[in-house]
């Protein structure tokens, strides 16, 4: 009985030994199979080293998956969720298929390399979704009432900032708005909108304004302009024109469009504190002289008065009525200086004329008394 138990124990040991040998052989064969060169294109056999970049700057660790809220431009008061970091691209070494760079999963926040041919280094590039844009407006005003302000700009989106030039300044379309780090800016002078696009890094945008200049034109009625009829002047500046009146004319008045201020002194029109394009007209009027007439033995007819104003070089005319007892015959007309006058009787009155008046004149008419 004891022999049978001993024999059964030996058989059990032999079976265990054979099982162990078979298991070891299978493990060895599997191990050899994994090391076989013809199967080295399987990524589980290769070591992958990762490097991480944010906005092309190397960082030590994979950036965390974070979300931020941004204002929805289409719906007032609404906000959208967006990732703080956006996957841009990957570049791995020792890839099996050219231009194959693996796949990125935003939901799982993980990267799956492409098929490799050896140990590899994969560089993962991320972009920040939100960047700071500093806008500088020389001679301009931003929403904060200053000439410099910082704004948040979403990647692959456009940011619109209202920029107004200071009074007397305008957008310098020759220099134009410019931005750093590849961002672009475009300004609409009509609306005052500065549209900023292509922001991929923190950037600075500069928008230039220059002092406005205006055109001032002049005309002269009965006068001659000496020199230019049109001149350019900066905002708030003054400009002068020389104008000479025509012969026998004197200055009368001026008018300017756009309520522009001006003055005319000593033959010069000065347009002051110009704030817009303007056209000014200076008008001269005939020069007026006075002729004073005194009458002995008569009086002026109704409708006539003395002194009488006439233009320089013109004739002054009076109608004289004789007093009772005086006659129009042999009347005497006497004026001071070089002024000359005479008369013509019409029977019941006399027409007295003072010719070619060049200065203010005083003349006397003397009627002869009729004999008793």
């Amino acid at each position: 009985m004891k022999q049978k138990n001993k024999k059964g124990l030996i058989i059990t040991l032999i079976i265990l030994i054979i099982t162990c040998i078979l298991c070891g052989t299978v493990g060895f064969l599997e191990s050899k199979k994994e090391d076989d060169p013809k199967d080295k294109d399987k990524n589980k056999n290769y070591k992958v080293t990762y490097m991480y970049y944010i906005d092309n700057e190397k960082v030590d660790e994979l950036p965390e998956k974070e979300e931020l809220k941004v204002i929805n431009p289409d719906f007032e008061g609404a906000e959208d969720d967006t990732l703080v970091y956006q996957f841009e691209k990957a570049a791995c070494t020792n890839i099996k298929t050219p231009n194959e760079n693996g796949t990125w999963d935003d939901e799982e926040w993980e990267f799956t390399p492409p098929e490799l041919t050896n140990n590899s280094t994969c560089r993962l590039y991320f972009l920040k979704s939100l960047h700071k844009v500093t806008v500088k407006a020389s001679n301009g005003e931003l929403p904060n009432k200053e000439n410099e302000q910082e704004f948040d700009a979403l990647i692959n989106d456009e940011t619109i900032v209202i920029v107004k030039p200071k009074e007397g300044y305008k957008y310098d379309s020759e220099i134009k708005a410019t931005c750093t780090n590849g961002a672009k800016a475009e300004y609409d002078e009509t609306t005052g909108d500065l549209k900023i696009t292509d922001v991929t890094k923190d950037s600075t945008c500069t928008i230039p304004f220059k002092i406005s200049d205006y055109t001032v034109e002049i005309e002269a009625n009965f006068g001659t302009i000496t020199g230019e009829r049109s001149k350019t002047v900066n905002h708030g500046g003054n400009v002068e024109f020389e104008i000479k009146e025509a012969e026998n004319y004197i200055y009368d008045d001026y008018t300017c469009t756009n309520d522009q201020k001006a003055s005319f002194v000593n033959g010069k029109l000065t347009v002051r504190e110009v704030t817009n394009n303007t056209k000014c007209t200076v008008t001269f009027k005939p020069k007026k002289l006075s002729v004073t007439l005194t009458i002995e033995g008569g009086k002026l007819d109704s409708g006539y008065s003395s002194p009488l104003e006439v233009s320089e070089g013109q004739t002054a005319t009076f109608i004289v009525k004789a007093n009772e007892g005086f006659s129009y015959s042999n009347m005497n007309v006497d004026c001071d200086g070089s002024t000359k006058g005479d008369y013509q009787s019409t029977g019941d009155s006399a027409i007295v004329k003072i010719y070619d008046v060049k200065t203010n004149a005083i003349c006397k008419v003397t009627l002869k008394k009729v004999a008793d």
Side-chain angles (χ1 to χ4, degrees), residues 322-352:
N323 291 338
E324 187 177 354
F326 287 83
S327 170
Y328 299 110
S329 299
N330 300 318
M331 285 174 54
N332 183 48
V333 179
D334 183 38
C335 296
D336 59 350
S338 60
T339 305
K340 303 294 183 182
D342 65 12
Y343 73 96
Q344 179 183 355
S345 175
T346 62
D348 60 348
S349 63
I351 301 173
V352 178

Side-chain angles (χ1 to χ4, degrees), residues 2-105:
K2 289 184 179 178
Q3 276 188 335
K4 286 184 178 181
N5 290 339
K6 186 175 181 181
K7 185 177 180 180
L9 181 61
I10 292 172
I11 292 172
T12 301
L13 289 172
I14 292 172
I15 292 172
L16 290 172
I17 292 170
I18 292 172
T19 301
C20 290
I21 293 172
L22 289 174
C23 289
T25 302
V26 171
F28 174 76
L29 291 175
E30 287 296 323
S31 175
K32 291 292 288 180
K33 186 177 179 181
E34 288 181 359
D35 291 338
D36 197 325
K38 67 182 180 181
D39 293 325
K40 279 192 176 180
D41 60 342
K42 294 186 177 179
N43 290 345
K44 63 182 180 179
N45 297 319
Y46 304 122
K47 179 182 178 182
V48 179
T49 301
Y50 289 99
M51 301 175 72
Y52 309 104
Y53 297 82
I54 298 177
D55 289 345
N56 287 326
E57 292 186 5
K58 192 174 183 302
V59 295
D60 296 331
E61 297 179 350
L62 174 69
E64 293 184 7
K65 182 180 180 180
E66 299 178 76
E67 290 187 345
L68 56 84
K69 291 188 178 297
V70 294
I71 296 174
N72 188 313
D74 300 320
F75 300 96
E76 186 176 355
E79 292 182 326
D80 294 331
D81 292 327
T82 188
L83 293 170
V84 174
Y85 299 103
Q86 295 187 20
F87 178 76
E88 179 187 17
K89 62 182 179 179
C92 296
T93 60
N94 300 322
I95 58 176
K96 185 176 182 180
T97 304
N99 302 320
E100 188 69 31
N101 291 309
T103 56
W104 173 262
D105 188 333

